[in-house]
Amino acid sequence: MSEGLEGVVAANTVLSEVDGQAGRLIIRGHDLDELAGRATFEQVTRLLWDGFFEPLPQDLAPALAAARAEVFAEVSALDSGLLDRTPIEGMRALTARLADGDSLATALRLTAAPAVFTAAMVRALAGEAPVRPDPSLSHAADALRMLRGKAPSEAETAALDTYLVTVSDHGLNASTFTARVIASTQAGLASAVLGGISALKGPLHGGAPGPVIDMLDGIGRPANARAWIEGALDRGDRLMGFGHRVYRVRDPRADALKAAVRKLTEGSNAAPGRLAFAEAVEAAALVILKERKPDRALDTNVEFYTALLLEALAYPPNAFTCVFATGRVAGWIAHAREQVMGGRLIRPASNYVGPWPKKAA
Ligand code: ACO
């Protein structure tokens, strides 16, 4: 048995390759740096879905924009019963209203859903009315516009596109595996996506970037970093944004996102010094993790600079995981289709370690 299925290969995939020793991520034949900051979310979604839907339009942007308008109708179901929930619980509840199925139209609605429902949920929690999607905008630009009620700058749209592309797919991570298990039962894409959202929500997976902000705020200034980090580790806490099941070196997505934060914040007067402060905390954390865990290579993962980027885009920290889902949904759907089209029911075995009946059968 492999605890946590570490090292177990459970699928063949054409979608992405995570090389944990080299710190390399390949998405459908492209190194991450060929896509991040260069391709739009719609383009990378098309790249991932190619061959899994017939026919698939060359440009997914108009169809995805139409799907945003369609799912916006569900926002009216956001009643006061959801207002004591976190944004991801509210977004998941609205997504659960969408019909199951395996068609491209279903896939587009599910891909539109996190952007539309996250914006509506964040606004509702702030007592603000939802903003209707604008079909003339790209997915990233509209996601920001629906959140804020005003158009984002080109730089902000580019930064969100970089983020969504960077997190669009990543091998058989916990949420993608969950989506594939559900898809393998032929339950349908909505079921697979809902499972993906639920697995992503946990702090050991996609729930880490909100707590990264809590850590930075708790530390306050670079001189406090060592004492704060040591205190957290002494209590048995894990440092959010560090460590990974597969990477034994730095997560390549961390650098893609750090570059995006630098590009977005350079020249603007938004949070001056925030990036330098985060770099100082990161450096201190890496030294201390090495001292404490010399045998386990613990490095920075995607979530550390995700937190900085989404903070710079003015997302509230409790909605960071929703934005992760906004990008990863493209990968979940591609994996679900790949599983249905070529795979078997996923049904592993367990090793019974409980008591045996007293009477021999
Ligand atoms: N801070 C402190 N210690 C850590 C950390 C961390 N971030 N990560 C791992 N360790 C320690 C573990 O406590 C363990 O120590 P032990 O052997 O004394 O118990 C040792 O390093 C090995 O850790 P594992 O549990 O084997 O690591 P695993 O592969 O199971 O977990 C995980 C990977 C969950 C990402 C882990 O590193 C972690 O909890 N990180 C913090 C949460 C986080 O950033 N999650 C986002 C990951 S990226 C993503 O999913 C999108």
Side-chain angles (χ1 to χ4, degrees), residues 99 126 212:
V212 168

PDB file of all heavy atoms in Angstrom, residues 99 126 212:
ATOM      1  N   ALA A  99     -27.132  21.626 -14.780  1.00  0.00           N
ATOM      2  CA  ALA A  99     -27.476  20.254 -15.177  1.00  0.00           C
ATOM      3  C   ALA A  99     -26.223  19.448 -15.500  1.00  0.00           C
ATOM      4  O   ALA A  99     -25.226  19.993 -15.996  1.00  0.00           O
ATOM      5  CB  ALA A  99     -28.385  20.291 -16.396  1.00  0.00           C
ATOM      6  N   ALA A 126     -20.734  41.396   0.488  1.00  0.00           N
ATOM      7  CA  ALA A 126     -20.456  42.813   0.781  1.00  0.00           C
ATOM      8  C   ALA A 126     -21.727  43.659   0.666  1.00  0.00           C
ATOM      9  O   ALA A 126     -21.672  44.889   0.710  1.00  0.00           O
ATOM     10  CB  ALA A 126     -19.382  43.330  -0.177  1.00  0.00           C
ATOM     11  N   VAL A 212      -1.984  32.133   3.454  1.00  0.00           N
ATOM     12  CA  VAL A 212      -0.674  32.783   3.201  1.00  0.00           C
ATOM     13  C   VAL A 212      -0.771  34.264   3.575  1.00  0.00           C
ATOM     14  O   VAL A 212       0.144  34.834   4.186  1.00  0.00           O
ATOM     15  CB  VAL A 212      -0.235  32.624   1.719  1.00  0.00           C
ATOM     16  CG1 VAL A 212       0.957  33.533   1.402  1.00  0.00           C
ATOM     17  CG2 VAL A 212       0.116  31.172   1.417  1.00  0.00           C
TER      18      VAL A 212
END
